[in-house]
Amino acid sequence: MLRVGVMELPVLPLTSHPARTSTSAGALALLVALAAGPAYAGTRATPQVFQDRLTPTSALPDSPVTAQLTVRSSSCFTVKTLGVGVRDAKDNNLDFPGSLSNTQICPSGLTLTTGARSFPAGTYRIFGFYQDQAGTWRNLPEQTLTVSTPTPVVTRDKLTPTTATADTPVTGQLTVHSNVCFTAKAVGIGVRNEAGDNLDFPGGLGSTQICPSGLTLTTGARSFPAGTYRIFGFYQDQAGTWRNLPEQTLVVSGTAPVITSPIPGASLIWSDEFNAPLSPAKWNKVNSSAYRFGNHNPDDDKLDRIDPNGVKVANGVATLTAKPSGFSLPGSGRKAWDTGLITTENTAENFKVKTGDYAETRVRLPKDLGAWPALWTWRNGGNEIDSFEYHPDNPNLLELTNHVKPAQKYWNNKDAVQPGQWVTIGTHYGADSVGWYVNGVDVFEDHKGVGANWTAYLILNLSICSGSFHPGPVGTAPISFDSDYVRVFR
């Protein structure tokens, strides 16, 4: 016998039959195959799994968060389970819910997004894992998950006013945002004079949340003597620490004009001089019960749809602007105009005029056809007194109307009333007679009045005519109307 390695083979005669020779060749081939090792049996290499991405690495305490795991393998194969594991400092199992079952991992990659869960504050180990077809659990590389409350950082985005008139009430407005939501115990606007005296604006906020989306505070009004002041936003954090935001300068100049009315003995009790952004506590610019559908109105020859963006305040003037809309008014199907309206209805102050009050505004009358500005009142489906209505097709005429006890006058005066010209218009809501004043002069008494117990909300707006009774707009250019102030005396 001839020994080759550990295999013994017979020595064949030279005259063997070709078939035997073939058999011996097959045996030799088997010998070589065995010597070559496991490849003969067709054994394949175990796939390797690589973790490309794992999140999160940080989270807020007790706030639900999902995990995302991205993996790939050296060759495609199916795992029984793929998930994201979490262990706390005591090695407790806090795995994310929502693992995958019987899913294939390939070189092209696979991403798992788990269900959400929350964690107490602390430091955790987070890792991907899978179970192979043999049932073996295999963990992928770990990383750290830190669950903590970040320190809030508050940024001031806007602070007004920067100027004011001496002894004239003005409100402050502060807009801030933070890097993370948190609840401040207080938010306000501080003011200091040159001596360091505290002259803060009234009407700050208590226990309010500041988030990355931002917060805007509009304070109550206060006045200042002439001088230069430091103005700044401030807040109190949950630890009770007061924190000031960056300062800027407030310059208060001049002497406040003496504000009077033509009604003897009446004092100013409510006003907006439009020297600061419109206060949502004072004005509602979203809807009115005077409009059948709340924010739009196909009635009374109007094309109005109330647009909160149609009211802007700048340089001491409120500008109400109308522009064409794609909205179709119900019933008529006519295209609306988005336009500005402000009313004291549905506001925090809920201010109403009442019998005996005198309301006044100074306005610049529009020039464009289709414009229909007005100052008027409304409550409970009526109580309407029109301080004025104006249409540029009647360029020198104001419409003065009592709808409570019907009376009306078309007051025409080319010296006082012209398109593009400023005019002061006021109304005394007398119990027995409503009086209309233009530039301080009583131009009409209706001798009807509003009665002893009348009250109503104020509305200042710019309507747009449909063309039935007055010409509609010519073209599509925006139409505007300005007001310098609205004041009420009592």
Side-chain angles (χ1 to χ4, degrees):
M1 300 291 286
L2 175 65
R3 183 177 297 275
V4 179
V6 297
M7 180 70 73
E8 292 183 349
L9 296 176
V11 178
L12 300 178
L14 295 176
T15 57
S16 297
H17 190 276
R20 294 282 294 168
T21 303
S22 174
T23 300
S24 299
L28 183 60
L30 175 60
L31 173 63
V32 174
L34 289 173
Y40 169 77
T43 302
R44 304 172 68 183
T46 302
Q48 289 183 281
V49 177
F50 306 95
Q51 178 176 293
D52 293 326
R53 184 171 182 265
L54 178 60
T55 60
T57 56
S58 63
L60 297 175
D62 306 313
S63 298
V65 62
T66 61
Q68 192 171 78
L69 169 67
T70 300
V71 295
R72 59 186 167 85
S73 62
S74 56
S75 61
C76 289
F77 78 110
T78 299
V79 295
K80 289 185 175 182
T81 306
L82 178 69
V84 177
V86 181
R87 300 292 182 271
D88 64 13
K90 296 182 179 180
D91 210 36
N92 293 313
N93 184 335
L94 303 172
D95 293 353
F96 280 94
S99 58
L100 295 177
S101 299
N102 293 318
T103 191
Q104 191 177 64
I105 305 176
C106 287
S108 58
L110 171 70
T111 295
L112 158 67
T113 300
T114 70
R117 71 158 301 162
S118 58
F119 304 90
T123 301
Y124 300 80
R125 294 179 292 120
I126 180 174
F127 53 91
F129 64 80
Y130 66 96
Q131 185 185 27
D132 63 23
Q133 284 299 308
T136 302
W137 292 98
R138 301 183 184 277
N139 291 348
L140 298 169
E142 294 182 354
Q143 59 191 42
T144 300
L145 168 61
T146 303
V147 180
S148 63
T149 301
T151 302
V153 177
V154 178
T155 301
R156 187 201 77 193
D157 298 314
K158 183 180 179 184
L159 177 61
T160 60
T162 56
T163 62
T165 301
D167 305 315
T168 301
V170 62
T171 61
Q173 190 171 79
L174 170 69
T175 300
V176 295
H177 75 273
S178 64
N179 60 323
V180 62
C181 287
F182 79 103
T183 299
K185 290 185 175 181
V187 180
I189 298 178
V191 181
R192 301 291 183 271
N193 62 13
E194 293 179 349
D197 297 323
N198 184 335
L199 302 172
D200 294 352
F201 279 96
L205 297 174
S207 189
T208 191
Q209 193 173 64
I210 305 176
C211 286
S213 57
L215 169 73
T216 295
L217 158 68
T218 300
T219 70
R222 71 158 301 161
S223 59
F224 305 90
T228 301
Y229 300 80
R230 294 180 291 120
I231 179 174
F232 53 91
F234 64 79
Y235 67 97
Q236 185 183 25
D237 64 23
Q238 283 299 301
T241 303
W242 292 97
R243 300 184 181 277
N244 292 347
L245 299 170
E247 295 181 353
Q248 61 189 40
T249 301
L250 167 61
V251 177
V252 181
S253 59
T255 302
V258 178
I259 299 175
T260 61
S261 82
I263 308 303
S267 300
L268 183 69
I269 57 108
W270 186 93
S271 70
D272 197 334
E273 305 296 319
F274 303 125
N275 290 326
L278 210 65
S279 168
K282 188 182 293 284
W283 294 111
N284 165 21
K285 57 181 181 177
V286 176
N287 54 46
S288 168
S289 64
Y291 279 23
R292 177 152 59 106
F293 295 97
N295 72 338
H296 59 278
N297 189 24
D299 304 329
D300 304 322
D301 192 38
K302 292 183 177 180
L303 298 178
D304 301 3
R305 185 171 75 158
I306 298 172
D307 178 12
N309 295 318
V311 184
K312 303 294 183 185
V313 175
N315 302 317
V317 172
T319 300
L320 284 63
T321 300
K323 58 184 179 181
S325 170
F327 178 75
S328 295
L329 293 166
S332 68
R334 295 176 299 193
K335 293 297 184 183
W337 278 57
D338 292 336
T339 189
L341 176 149
I342 54 177
T343 176
T344 59
E345 182 184 17
N346 297 326
T347 64
E349 289 187 1
N350 197 42
F351 179 78
K352 296 184 286 290
V353 289
K354 65 181 185 179
T355 301
D357 286 355
Y358 173 77
E360 182 180 277
T361 186
R362 180 172 178 261
V363 296
R364 178 159 48 198
L365 300 172
K367 300 177 181 179
D368 299 300
L369 292 177
W372 181 0
L375 176 67
W376 48 303
T377 64
W378 187 266
R379 184 168 179 260
N380 293 338
N383 286 19
E384 181 180 355
I385 301 293
D386 298 334
S387 289
F388 81 95
E389 297 174 89
Y390 178 74
H391 298 89
D393 56 306
N394 294 320
N396 308 123
L397 185 146
L398 296 177
E399 300 175 24
L400 317 175
T401 309
N402 181 348
H403 291 276
V404 177
K405 297 181 178 180
Q408 185 177 58
K409 182 177 182 66
Y410 289 159
W411 189 75
N412 198 315
N413 187 303
K414 66 179 180 179
D415 294 325
V417 181
Q418 292 184 29
Q421 179 172 294
W422 287 96
V423 58
T424 301
I425 305 167
T427 308
H428 179 224
Y429 309 110
D432 301 316
S433 181
V434 177
W436 282 264
Y437 293 74
V438 178
N439 294 332
V441 177
D442 188 350
V443 299
F444 174 51
E445 292 285 340
D446 68 5
H447 303 291
K448 297 288 185 70
V450 293
N453 300 311
W454 174 88
T455 63
Y457 299 104
L458 287 170
I459 301 175
L460 179 70
N461 79 306
L462 173 61
S463 284
I464 298 297
C465 299
S466 71
S468 298
F469 305 112
H470 292 272
V474 177
T476 58
I479 297 173
S480 294
F481 158 63
D482 296 327
S483 174
D484 182 33
Y485 62 79
V486 178
R487 299 170 181 163
V488 177
F489 298 80
R490 183 170 292 169

